[in-house]
Amino acid sequence: MSDGVYDMPEEPAARRPRRNGGRPRALLPTIATLIVLLILFSVFTDVWTQRLWYRSVDLGSVFSTVLGTRILLFFVVGLLMAAAVVANIIIAYRTKPRVALAPSPSPGFERYGELLQQHAKIAIGVIGGLMLIFGGSAASGEWKTFLAWRNRTPFGVTDKHFNKDIAFFVFDYPWLRVLLGFGYSIVLLSLVAAIITHYLYGGFRPSAKGQKASGAAQVQFSVLLGLLVLLKAFSYWLDRYGLTTSDARLFTGISYTGDNAVLPSKEILAVIAVLCAGLFFANVVRRTWLLPGVGTVVLILSAILLGALWPAALQQLRVRPSEPVKEAPYITKNIEATRQAYGLENTQVTEYNAKTTARPEELTADAEVLPGIRLIDPTVIGPTFEQLQQVRGFYSFPTDLDVDRYKIKDKVNDTVIAVREVQIDRLPAGQRNWNNDHTVYTHGYGVVAANGNQSQGGIPVWTEKDLPPTGDLGDYEPRIYFGENSPEYSIVGAPEGAPAVELDTPEGRKGGDPTLNTYEGKGGVPIGSFANRLLYATKFRDANILLSSRVNSESKILYDRTPRERVEKAAPWLTPDGDPYPAIVDGQVVWIVDGYTTSDNYPYAEKVDLDVSTRDTTTGRGTIAQQPSEKINYIRNSVKAVVNAYDGSVELYEWDQTDPVLKTWMKAFPGTVKPRSDISPDLMSHLRYPEDMFKVQRDLLAKYHVQDASTWYQNSDLWRVPADPTAVSSAGSDSPAQIAQPPFYLSLRMPDQKEPKFSLTSVYVPNGERENLTAFMAVDAEATSPDYGKFRILRLPGNLQIPGPGQVYNKFQTDEGIRQALLPINQPNSGARAQYGNLLTLPLGGGLLYVQPVYSVRTSGPGSYPVLRYVLVSFGERVAFGGTLQEALTKVFNTSVDTGELPPGTEKPPTTQQPNQTVKQAIADAQAAWNRAQTALKNGDLAGYQNNLNQMKSALDRAATAAAGTSTPTPSAPPSGAPTNPPATPTNPPPSPTG
């Protein structure tokens, strides 16, 4: 057999292993390519759907500005970092020595260098790509800082130390810090890359006995190290400005030690660092590390001596012995800056010698205030709204309702209001499927509102109710497609003539079958095309969007539907308030969201934790969001945002027309914020002072109401917001930290005001263990008022003991008359419990009046909800209660008080003929105690018999006291076990409640 014949069979055998071995080699790139394509498609999906969302709300310019800025920063900084690192690698490689300075550390070490050399282009490309991604990603995240710097607006106010406009600290300084950080990263990564490259190719070997680095390596290292030290010099120089917002021991800003030690040390260190950098650059010529080494040691020692020891010695030896005197001018600067940065300059503090008794003429003068005392607690009454106005189980109301004002029958009333939203989680399990969740139950329906100061049989007096809605709030579009509890996404819309599938109301206007609706609003993103359906099926990871026949050519998808979400996306530079509230404005249901501009770089202003300052017992409960955990020292309510509940449109209105931060963002995003003059009168009537900003301001005023540096330093006049006594009581004695009492919206009249104003109020107690009231604060919350935003503080004299909320609550809890009245509710076998509402405080009759509603709530069984049973009041040392506010006030003041409480349309009888609910309740309690006594007697339980007779006597005493028109406190019942002879069984039991 010839060689050719012999070799022929071996050729396919030789090729076969190559073909088999090639499959895995071909498979890996294919898998990698697919993974990259999937990642790119995911990124594209996210970006493109964001673009579609912004176009749906006519804010495409916001998307393009943000995306364009991020791309610009990504490539500028990313390419700069990639170019610097790659250039240093190439320089190090091209200047490598022909012979390594020392043997390689391991036999296989040189192979790495050879491998990189063989695949140099790929290696350089991978490293450059990684640097591009790393640097670009970090830079793109700084788009807000860049845009704020680029569009900065002067404040027109200069700081008192560097004589620079505040805009330098708020806009320029943060951007310079960002640039410094990128500079450090670029130089450090370049240095690391140069060291590794020189090490791989023998130009740098620390193990060498003689020269450790080649001449080229020394030059490259010297330049890069010199640049690092030069950047450190720039950092020292910038640190001078950073002292204005640094946290000193006593306050934020430059202190005496900072001014006389830290500031000069930063300047000296900056000069030393520049000289040290020059020594490194000189090393390019001299090629000796001695001088740069000496310079580095000098810099380090100087940093220790000047940056640490000198300030510490000055603080200890000169400042501490006479700190109040040394720090006084700096404390004054901090006080002034803090009050400016938080809008507290015009706070009015008035000495208020509160009375503990009031004359009839003083009450008459305040009579018009009484109808504004809100008895319906929005944090308690939510279940009542839900049980009486829910209509169907898939509708819901928030846990905490909102307070607004509406003009009804020519009178403006404080109103508790909520929106009836759809909540698909409440659908029965048998009704849960994709079609129902996303195409049928798409929206809520209608607004429910109640008078804030009226109840009828313990139930709110509705001003808007039922479904379809009826009431006094006028005609409006009732469908709620965008709300706080809306589904994640809904698909709505249909071609003309197609059958409707969206559930409108469970029944028609006259009962019968449900009514259906087809969405016709302009909101939502069209998904009629296959491409958009594919994108959103990918976004929500739901193939039904692509496959379902419910998705048609006219379909739209609604998502990102909560008011805060929409405002955050429409204005990503704003911090929205945690509690959006609904209002009926110009025939539409809208959500009003207060937007804040903030900064943490206002010089000398005190820094606070935003989440801590805004936290109270309502925060994080239900739909009230907690603010992010970040420090701020400047805040303005710069924007009033409005989200339409039907079409989801977002309108931003300029509110604070003097805010330079807002003007900066308006330049960055032109046309997105409408002028204040565009706010309609109807919308203006519903705007109010925002809660979260008020909480931050009241937190600061607890200390910064003091403007004298000496008093401020001594901390002798510190206040604090009291803990919410109702929350502490419900949490029990083992509860963790006591949380602050929330502020309350109510209509009141401060001593210098001629008529009641809708206000946001809070109180203070002394800082420490004492709980007596030290100040009452209110801010005018009516947007139409010329005094809108004006803080008025009524400061109580230090020698006047006015009880604080905790003490008043304790009085209510321990008053025998109130305890006996609530005894039937709180009995273990009664199936109910008493629930205390908000404890309101307001100036009245020359003193301070406390008012607290008490509700009865059934503890077992479905469908329970709070019913208003009593109103508790306290004035001075007197405590009283009644079935109505009018009754309670009449008792506590010993005079007839007209609160205008009767439901609308009811003819008001003379005060003397008004039924006394307390008498009725006391008689009912006496009857119940009598029945229990008879049962105990039959069972031979003489102790129980005697105890119930004592309770009966106490109840009859209460009835007699109330009928006689005298005030509480009620005489206490004899203690159980007192030496009293059990009477014989009465022949005539006490009168029944109906008799």
Side-chain angles (χ1 to χ4, degrees), residues 348-350 352 719 744 746 748-751 759-765 773-779 791-796 840-844 847-850:
Q348 175 183 311
V349 180
T350 305
Y352 188 62
W719 301 341
F744 300 119
L746 67 154
L748 56 83
R749 181 174 62 195
M750 297 293 278
S759 304
L760 189 54
T761 67
S762 187
V763 297
Y764 292 109
V765 296
L773 200 68
T774 192
F776 172 84
M777 180 173 71
V779 62
F791 280 81
R792 294 176 171 88
I793 296 179
L794 302 181
R795 182 192 180 107
L796 302 175
L840 305 176
T841 312
L842 70 158
L844 185 79
L848 287 164
L849 176 72
Y850 286 95

mmCIF file of all heavy atoms in Angstrom, residues 348-350 352 719 744 746 748-751 759-765 773-779 791-796 840-844 847-850:
data_model
loop_
_atom_site.group_PDB
_atom_site.id
_atom_site.type_symbol
_atom_site.label_atom_id
_atom_site.label_comp_id
_atom_site.label_asym_id
_atom_site.label_seq_id
_atom_site.Cartn_x
_atom_site.Cartn_y
_atom_site.Cartn_z
ATOM 1 N N GLN A 348 -42.171 85.541 64.726
ATOM 2 C CA GLN A 348 -42.632 86.502 65.743
ATOM 3 C C GLN A 348 -42.863 85.764 67.056
ATOM 4 O O GLN A 348 -43.700 84.866 67.144
ATOM 5 C CB GLN A 348 -43.932 87.161 65.267
ATOM 6 C CG GLN A 348 -44.576 88.092 66.279
ATOM 7 C CD GLN A 348 -45.894 88.638 65.770
ATOM 8 O OE1 GLN A 348 -45.991 89.129 64.650
ATOM 9 N NE2 GLN A 348 -46.931 88.546 66.589
ATOM 10 N N VAL A 349 -42.104 86.142 68.088
ATOM 11 C CA VAL A 349 -42.248 85.551 69.417
ATOM 12 C C VAL A 349 -42.906 86.577 70.325
ATOM 13 O O VAL A 349 -42.418 87.702 70.472
ATOM 14 C CB VAL A 349 -40.886 85.121 69.991
ATOM 15 C CG1 VAL A 349 -41.066 84.500 71.368
ATOM 16 C CG2 VAL A 349 -40.205 84.135 69.053
ATOM 17 N N THR A 350 -44.035 86.183 70.918
ATOM 18 C CA THR A 350 -44.801 87.074 71.785
ATOM 19 C C THR A 350 -44.933 86.458 73.166
ATOM 20 O O THR A 350 -45.239 85.262 73.290
ATOM 21 C CB THR A 350 -46.207 87.327 71.197
ATOM 22 O OG1 THR A 350 -46.077 87.819 69.858
ATOM 23 C CG2 THR A 350 -46.979 88.327 72.036
ATOM 24 N N TYR A 352 -46.865 85.527 76.273
ATOM 25 C CA TYR A 352 -48.291 85.226 76.396
ATOM 26 C C TYR A 352 -48.579 84.811 77.839
ATOM 27 O O TYR A 352 -48.258 83.705 78.259
ATOM 28 C CB TYR A 352 -48.662 84.110 75.422
ATOM 29 C CG TYR A 352 -50.146 83.826 75.312
ATOM 30 C CD1 TYR A 352 -51.035 84.796 74.860
ATOM 31 C CD2 TYR A 352 -50.652 82.568 75.637
ATOM 32 C CE1 TYR A 352 -52.386 84.534 74.734
ATOM 33 C CE2 TYR A 352 -52.009 82.282 75.515
ATOM 34 C CZ TYR A 352 -52.871 83.278 75.069
ATOM 35 O OH TYR A 352 -54.225 83.014 74.940
ATOM 36 N N TRP A 719 -36.132 74.138 73.981
ATOM 37 C CA TRP A 719 -37.456 73.543 73.940
ATOM 38 C C TRP A 719 -37.373 72.209 73.212
ATOM 39 O O TRP A 719 -36.352 71.859 72.616
ATOM 40 C CB TRP A 719 -38.446 74.444 73.193
ATOM 41 C CG TRP A 719 -38.618 75.806 73.761
ATOM 42 C CD1 TRP A 719 -38.299 76.234 75.024
ATOM 43 C CD2 TRP A 719 -39.175 76.954 73.087
ATOM 44 N NE1 TRP A 719 -38.617 77.547 75.182
ATOM 45 C CE2 TRP A 719 -39.162 78.026 74.014
ATOM 46 C CE3 TRP A 719 -39.680 77.177 71.819
ATOM 47 C CZ2 TRP A 719 -39.635 79.298 73.689
ATOM 48 C CZ3 TRP A 719 -40.157 78.439 71.490
ATOM 49 C CH2 TRP A 719 -40.137 79.488 72.410
ATOM 50 N N PHE A 744 -50.815 69.886 63.641
ATOM 51 C CA PHE A 744 -52.233 69.772 63.307
ATOM 52 C C PHE A 744 -52.684 70.973 62.486
ATOM 53 O O PHE A 744 -52.352 72.115 62.808
ATOM 54 C CB PHE A 744 -53.077 69.685 64.585
ATOM 55 C CG PHE A 744 -52.745 68.503 65.454
ATOM 56 C CD1 PHE A 744 -52.280 68.693 66.742
ATOM 57 C CD2 PHE A 744 -52.890 67.212 64.990
ATOM 58 C CE1 PHE A 744 -51.964 67.624 67.554
ATOM 59 C CE2 PHE A 744 -52.565 66.126 65.785
ATOM 60 C CZ PHE A 744 -52.104 66.326 67.074
ATOM 61 N N LEU A 746 -55.705 73.303 61.694
ATOM 62 C CA LEU A 746 -57.007 73.712 62.194
ATOM 63 C C LEU A 746 -57.128 75.222 62.054
ATOM 64 O O LEU A 746 -56.124 75.928 61.928
ATOM 65 C CB LEU A 746 -57.227 73.284 63.641
ATOM 66 C CG LEU A 746 -56.391 73.919 64.742
ATOM 67 C CD1 LEU A 746 -57.154 73.857 66.054
ATOM 68 C CD2 LEU A 746 -55.082 73.155 64.922
ATOM 69 N N LEU A 748 -57.784 78.769 63.566
ATOM 70 C CA LEU A 748 -57.698 79.436 64.863
ATOM 71 C C LEU A 748 -57.330 80.892 64.655
ATOM 72 O O LEU A 748 -56.942 81.301 63.559
ATOM 73 C CB LEU A 748 -56.681 78.738 65.772
ATOM 74 C CG LEU A 748 -55.247 78.574 65.265
ATOM 75 C CD1 LEU A 748 -54.413 79.824 65.487
ATOM 76 C CD2 LEU A 748 -54.579 77.411 65.971
ATOM 77 N N ARG A 749 -57.417 81.639 65.741
ATOM 78 C CA ARG A 749 -57.042 83.044 65.683
ATOM 79 C C ARG A 749 -55.992 83.299 66.753
ATOM 80 O O ARG A 749 -56.225 83.084 67.937
ATOM 81 C CB ARG A 749 -58.255 83.947 65.907
ATOM 82 C CG ARG A 749 -57.895 85.438 65.827
ATOM 83 C CD ARG A 749 -59.116 86.315 65.897
ATOM 84 N NE ARG A 749 -59.825 86.145 67.162
ATOM 85 C CZ ARG A 749 -61.073 86.562 67.370
ATOM 86 N NH1 ARG A 749 -61.745 87.111 66.389
ATOM 87 N NH2 ARG A 749 -61.640 86.393 68.545
ATOM 88 N N MET A 750 -54.831 83.768 66.307
ATOM 89 C CA MET A 750 -53.790 84.151 67.238
ATOM 90 C C MET A 750 -54.122 85.524 67.815
ATOM 91 O O MET A 750 -54.930 86.282 67.241
ATOM 92 C CB MET A 750 -52.438 84.155 66.537
ATOM 93 C CG MET A 750 -52.007 82.790 66.029
ATOM 94 S SD MET A 750 -51.668 81.616 67.351
ATOM 95 C CE MET A 750 -49.982 82.081 67.791
ATOM 96 N N PRO A 751 -53.537 85.893 68.962
ATOM 97 C CA PRO A 751 -53.910 87.149 69.622
ATOM 98 C C PRO A 751 -53.811 88.387 68.740
ATOM 99 O O PRO A 751 -54.568 89.339 68.941
ATOM 100 C CB PRO A 751 -52.927 87.212 70.794
ATOM 101 C CG PRO A 751 -52.632 85.780 71.105
ATOM 102 C CD PRO A 751 -52.632 85.083 69.792
ATOM 103 N N SER A 759 -54.488 77.205 59.901
ATOM 104 C CA SER A 759 -53.103 77.234 60.379
ATOM 105 C C SER A 759 -52.580 75.829 60.599
ATOM 106 O O SER A 759 -53.344 74.863 60.730
ATOM 107 C CB SER A 759 -53.017 78.022 61.696
ATOM 108 O OG SER A 759 -53.537 79.318 61.552
ATOM 109 N N LEU A 760 -51.274 75.753 60.663
ATOM 110 C CA LEU A 760 -50.579 74.526 61.037
ATOM 111 C C LEU A 760 -49.927 74.797 62.382
ATOM 112 O O LEU A 760 -49.181 75.776 62.531
ATOM 113 C CB LEU A 760 -49.535 74.160 59.979
ATOM 114 C CG LEU A 760 -48.852 72.799 60.085
ATOM 115 C CD1 LEU A 760 -49.859 71.659 60.163
ATOM 116 C CD2 LEU A 760 -47.913 72.575 58.891
ATOM 117 N N THR A 761 -50.221 73.960 63.368
ATOM 118 C CA THR A 761 -49.872 74.294 64.746
ATOM 119 C C THR A 761 -49.046 73.196 65.404
ATOM 120 O O THR A 761 -49.074 72.035 65.010
ATOM 121 C CB THR A 761 -51.138 74.504 65.585
ATOM 122 O OG1 THR A 761 -51.824 73.245 65.707
ATOM 123 C CG2 THR A 761 -52.066 75.512 64.932
ATOM 124 N N SER A 762 -48.323 73.607 66.443
ATOM 125 C CA SER A 762 -47.563 72.673 67.269
ATOM 126 C C SER A 762 -47.302 73.340 68.609
ATOM 127 O O SER A 762 -47.543 74.546 68.775
ATOM 128 C CB SER A 762 -46.243 72.296 66.588
ATOM 129 O OG SER A 762 -45.581 71.268 67.317
ATOM 130 N N VAL A 763 -46.805 72.573 69.559
ATOM 131 C CA VAL A 763 -46.492 73.116 70.883
ATOM 132 C C VAL A 763 -45.094 72.661 71.285
ATOM 133 O O VAL A 763 -44.517 71.728 70.701
ATOM 134 C CB VAL A 763 -47.509 72.661 71.950
ATOM 135 C CG1 VAL A 763 -48.893 73.188 71.637
ATOM 136 C CG2 VAL A 763 -47.531 71.147 72.071
ATOM 137 N N TYR A 764 -44.548 73.343 72.300
ATOM 138 C CA TYR A 764 -43.243 73.000 72.853
ATOM 139 C C TYR A 764 -43.359 72.815 74.359
ATOM 140 O O TYR A 764 -44.177 73.471 75.025
ATOM 141 C CB TYR A 764 -42.223 74.112 72.594
ATOM 142 C CG TYR A 764 -41.824 74.301 71.154
ATOM 143 C CD1 TYR A 764 -42.240 75.427 70.443
ATOM 144 C CD2 TYR A 764 -41.006 73.375 70.509
ATOM 145 C CE1 TYR A 764 -41.852 75.621 69.125
ATOM 146 C CE2 TYR A 764 -40.619 73.565 69.190
ATOM 147 C CZ TYR A 764 -41.043 74.684 68.502
ATOM 148 O OH TYR A 764 -40.662 74.870 67.202
ATOM 149 N N VAL A 765 -42.505 71.949 74.872
ATOM 150 C CA VAL A 765 -42.314 71.805 76.311
ATOM 151 C C VAL A 765 -40.830 72.022 76.588
ATOM 152 O O VAL A 765 -39.999 71.945 75.675
ATOM 153 C CB VAL A 765 -42.767 70.421 76.819
ATOM 154 C CG1 VAL A 765 -44.261 70.240 76.611
ATOM 155 C CG2 VAL A 765 -41.995 69.304 76.130
ATOM 156 N N LEU A 773 -46.291 73.138 79.471
ATOM 157 C CA LEU A 773 -46.229 73.850 78.188
ATOM 158 C C LEU A 773 -45.328 75.072 78.311
ATOM 159 O O LEU A 773 -45.421 75.831 79.279
ATOM 160 C CB LEU A 773 -47.638 74.272 77.771
ATOM 161 C CG LEU A 773 -47.838 74.596 76.291
ATOM 162 C CD1 LEU A 773 -47.694 73.344 75.456
ATOM 163 C CD2 LEU A 773 -49.221 75.209 76.068
ATOM 164 N N THR A 774 -44.459 75.256 77.318
ATOM 165 C CA THR A 774 -43.589 76.436 77.332
ATOM 166 C C THR A 774 -43.855 77.376 76.165
ATOM 167 O O THR A 774 -43.534 78.556 76.244
ATOM 168 C CB THR A 774 -42.107 76.014 77.332
ATOM 169 O OG1 THR A 774 -41.295 77.130 77.622
ATOM 170 C CG2 THR A 774 -41.694 75.444 75.989
ATOM 171 N N ALA A 775 -44.449 76.862 75.075
ATOM 172 C CA ALA A 775 -44.754 77.735 73.935
ATOM 173 C C ALA A 775 -45.769 77.056 73.029
ATOM 174 O O ALA A 775 -45.848 75.820 72.956
ATOM 175 C CB ALA A 775 -43.490 78.076 73.154
ATOM 176 N N PHE A 776 -46.539 77.884 72.351
ATOM 177 C CA PHE A 776 -47.471 77.431 71.316
ATOM 178 C C PHE A 776 -47.077 78.112 70.017
ATOM 179 O O PHE A 776 -46.767 79.305 70.004
ATOM 180 C CB PHE A 776 -48.906 77.791 71.698
ATOM 181 C CG PHE A 776 -49.904 77.525 70.606
ATOM 182 C CD1 PHE A 776 -50.450 76.265 70.442
ATOM 183 C CD2 PHE A 776 -50.296 78.534 69.731
ATOM 184 C CE1 PHE A 776 -51.364 76.018 69.433
ATOM 185 C CE2 PHE A 776 -51.210 78.292 68.725
ATOM 186 C CZ PHE A 776 -51.742 77.022 68.576
ATOM 187 N N MET A 777 -47.083 77.353 68.930
ATOM 188 C CA MET A 777 -46.637 77.897 67.648
ATOM 189 C C MET A 777 -47.671 77.612 66.562
ATOM 190 O O MET A 777 -48.256 76.527 66.513
ATOM 191 C CB MET A 777 -45.292 77.286 67.237
ATOM 192 C CG MET A 777 -44.777 77.805 65.905
ATOM 193 S SD MET A 777 -43.104 77.218 65.540
ATOM 194 C CE MET A 777 -43.416 75.492 65.191
ATOM 195 N N ALA A 778 -47.877 78.595 65.701
ATOM 196 C CA ALA A 778 -48.762 78.424 64.548
ATOM 197 C C ALA A 778 -48.178 79.175 63.370
ATOM 198 O O ALA A 778 -47.581 80.244 63.529
ATOM 199 C CB ALA A 778 -50.167 78.935 64.869
ATOM 200 N N VAL A 779 -48.343 78.603 62.187
ATOM 201 C CA VAL A 779 -47.953 79.288 60.965
ATOM 202 C C VAL A 779 -49.205 79.443 60.107
ATOM 203 O O VAL A 779 -50.025 78.523 60.004
ATOM 204 C CB VAL A 779 -46.857 78.505 60.210
ATOM 205 C CG1 VAL A 779 -47.343 77.126 59.772
ATOM 206 C CG2 VAL A 779 -46.362 79.294 58.999
ATOM 207 N N PHE A 791 -44.587 82.751 61.018
ATOM 208 C CA PHE A 791 -44.584 81.981 62.256
ATOM 209 C C PHE A 791 -44.902 82.904 63.430
ATOM 210 O O PHE A 791 -44.282 83.961 63.595
ATOM 211 C CB PHE A 791 -43.222 81.328 62.480
ATOM 212 C CG PHE A 791 -43.008 80.081 61.682
ATOM 213 C CD1 PHE A 791 -42.617 80.153 60.354
ATOM 214 C CD2 PHE A 791 -43.214 78.835 62.244
ATOM 215 C CE1 PHE A 791 -42.434 79.008 59.610
ATOM 216 C CE2 PHE A 791 -43.031 77.680 61.505
ATOM 217 C CZ PHE A 791 -42.639 77.765 60.185
ATOM 218 N N ARG A 792 -45.851 82.467 64.232
ATOM 219 C CA ARG A 792 -46.189 83.178 65.460
ATOM 220 C C ARG A 792 -46.017 82.218 66.632
ATOM 221 O O ARG A 792 -46.621 81.139 66.643
ATOM 222 C CB ARG A 792 -47.629 83.696 65.409
ATOM 223 C CG ARG A 792 -47.881 84.785 64.363
ATOM 224 C CD ARG A 792 -49.365 85.135 64.335
ATOM 225 N NE ARG A 792 -49.642 86.310 63.525
ATOM 226 C CZ ARG A 792 -49.882 86.273 62.224
ATOM 227 N NH1 ARG A 792 -49.863 85.115 61.577
ATOM 228 N NH2 ARG A 792 -50.135 87.393 61.556
ATOM 229 N N ILE A 793 -45.207 82.629 67.588
ATOM 230 C CA ILE A 793 -44.955 81.798 68.760
ATOM 231 C C ILE A 793 -45.455 82.534 69.991
ATOM 232 O O ILE A 793 -45.077 83.697 70.225
ATOM 233 C CB ILE A 793 -43.456 81.478 68.913
ATOM 234 C CG1 ILE A 793 -42.972 80.642 67.725
ATOM 235 C CG2 ILE A 793 -43.198 80.728 70.214
ATOM 236 C CD1 ILE A 793 -41.489 80.308 67.774
ATOM 237 N N LEU A 794 -46.315 81.876 70.753
ATOM 238 C CA LEU A 794 -46.771 82.409 72.034
ATOM 239 C C LEU A 794 -45.920 81.764 73.120
ATOM 240 O O LEU A 794 -46.041 80.564 73.386
ATOM 241 C CB LEU A 794 -48.251 82.099 72.253
ATOM 242 C CG LEU A 794 -49.224 82.618 71.183
ATOM 243 C CD1 LEU A 794 -50.650 82.254 71.555
ATOM 244 C CD2 LEU A 794 -49.079 84.127 70.999
ATOM 245 N N ARG A 795 -45.058 82.566 73.707
ATOM 246 C CA ARG A 795 -44.146 82.065 74.733
ATOM 247 C C ARG A 795 -44.775 82.274 76.111
ATOM 248 O O ARG A 795 -45.162 83.397 76.470
ATOM 249 C CB ARG A 795 -42.807 82.793 74.640
ATOM 250 C CG ARG A 795 -41.779 82.311 75.638
ATOM 251 C CD ARG A 795 -40.599 83.258 75.695
ATOM 252 N NE ARG A 795 -39.631 82.789 76.661
ATOM 253 C CZ ARG A 795 -38.469 82.241 76.332
ATOM 254 N NH1 ARG A 795 -38.125 82.131 75.069
ATOM 255 N NH2 ARG A 795 -37.638 81.828 77.266
ATOM 256 N N LEU A 796 -44.844 81.210 76.894
ATOM 257 C CA LEU A 796 -45.436 81.290 78.220
ATOM 258 C C LEU A 796 -44.379 81.665 79.246
ATOM 259 O O LEU A 796 -43.225 81.219 79.142
ATOM 260 C CB LEU A 796 -46.067 79.950 78.593
ATOM 261 C CG LEU A 796 -47.148 79.453 77.623
ATOM 262 C CD1 LEU A 796 -47.621 78.077 78.023
ATOM 263 C CD2 LEU A 796 -48.306 80.414 77.582
ATOM 264 N N LEU A 840 -55.728 68.510 70.464
ATOM 265 C CA LEU A 840 -55.524 69.816 69.856
ATOM 266 C C LEU A 840 -55.300 70.881 70.928
ATOM 267 O O LEU A 840 -55.888 70.816 72.008
ATOM 268 C CB LEU A 840 -56.735 70.203 69.004
ATOM 269 C CG LEU A 840 -57.149 69.211 67.912
ATOM 270 C CD1 LEU A 840 -58.416 69.701 67.221
ATOM 271 C CD2 LEU A 840 -56.035 69.019 66.905
ATOM 272 N N THR A 841 -54.468 71.856 70.601
ATOM 273 C CA THR A 841 -54.206 72.994 71.478
ATOM 274 C C THR A 841 -54.453 74.264 70.676
ATOM 275 O O THR A 841 -54.024 74.360 69.524
ATOM 276 C CB THR A 841 -52.744 72.990 71.970
ATOM 277 O OG1 THR A 841 -52.402 71.700 72.452
ATOM 278 C CG2 THR A 841 -52.541 74.009 73.063
ATOM 279 N N LEU A 842 -55.147 75.237 71.295
ATOM 280 C CA LEU A 842 -55.346 76.506 70.608
ATOM 281 C C LEU A 842 -55.587 77.601 71.626
ATOM 282 O O LEU A 842 -56.113 77.355 72.721
ATOM 283 C CB LEU A 842 -56.507 76.428 69.615
ATOM 284 C CG LEU A 842 -57.924 76.309 70.153
ATOM 285 C CD1 LEU A 842 -58.912 76.784 69.095
ATOM 286 C CD2 LEU A 842 -58.252 74.866 70.522
ATOM 287 N N PRO A 843 -55.139 78.813 71.294
ATOM 288 C CA PRO A 843 -55.386 79.937 72.193
ATOM 289 C C PRO A 843 -56.860 80.324 72.167
ATOM 290 O O PRO A 843 -57.457 80.451 71.098
ATOM 291 C CB PRO A 843 -54.497 81.045 71.627
ATOM 292 C CG PRO A 843 -54.288 80.690 70.202
ATOM 293 C CD PRO A 843 -54.358 79.211 70.114
ATOM 294 N N LEU A 844 -57.441 80.525 73.366
ATOM 295 C CA LEU A 844 -58.861 80.852 73.459
ATOM 296 C C LEU A 844 -59.112 81.548 74.795
ATOM 297 O O LEU A 844 -58.606 81.107 75.831
ATOM 298 C CB LEU A 844 -59.714 79.580 73.363
ATOM 299 C CG LEU A 844 -61.227 79.805 73.325
ATOM 300 C CD1 LEU A 844 -61.651 80.226 71.923
ATOM 301 C CD2 LEU A 844 -61.973 78.538 73.727
ATOM 302 N N GLY A 847 -56.342 82.281 77.260
ATOM 303 C CA GLY A 847 -55.561 81.154 77.760
ATOM 304 C C GLY A 847 -55.316 80.148 76.658
ATOM 305 O O GLY A 847 -55.301 80.487 75.476
ATOM 306 N N LEU A 848 -55.113 78.896 77.045
ATOM 307 C CA LEU A 848 -54.899 77.822 76.077
ATOM 308 C C LEU A 848 -55.886 76.699 76.352
ATOM 309 O O LEU A 848 -55.998 76.205 77.481
ATOM 310 C CB LEU A 848 -53.462 77.298 76.163
ATOM 311 C CG LEU A 848 -52.420 78.251 75.573
ATOM 312 C CD1 LEU A 848 -51.027 77.884 76.031
ATOM 313 C CD2 LEU A 848 -52.483 78.239 74.046
ATOM 314 N N LEU A 849 -56.599 76.330 75.313
ATOM 315 C CA LEU A 849 -57.627 75.303 75.417
ATOM 316 C C LEU A 849 -57.135 74.018 74.759
ATOM 317 O O LEU A 849 -56.580 74.048 73.662
ATOM 318 C CB LEU A 849 -58.905 75.775 74.717
ATOM 319 C CG LEU A 849 -60.065 74.775 74.658
ATOM 320 C CD1 LEU A 849 -60.695 74.607 76.042
ATOM 321 C CD2 LEU A 849 -61.116 75.231 73.646
ATOM 322 N N TYR A 850 -57.351 72.910 75.456
ATOM 323 C CA TYR A 850 -57.076 71.589 74.886
ATOM 324 C C TYR A 850 -58.405 70.928 74.542
ATOM 325 O O TYR A 850 -59.359 70.976 75.330
ATOM 326 C CB TYR A 850 -56.338 70.707 75.881
ATOM 327 C CG TYR A 850 -54.885 71.046 76.086
ATOM 328 C CD1 TYR A 850 -54.483 71.876 77.128
ATOM 329 C CD2 TYR A 850 -53.907 70.516 75.251
ATOM 330 C CE1 TYR A 850 -53.145 72.179 77.321
ATOM 331 C CE2 TYR A 850 -52.562 70.822 75.445
ATOM 332 C CZ TYR A 850 -52.194 71.656 76.478
ATOM 333 O OH TYR A 850 -50.873 71.947 76.660
#
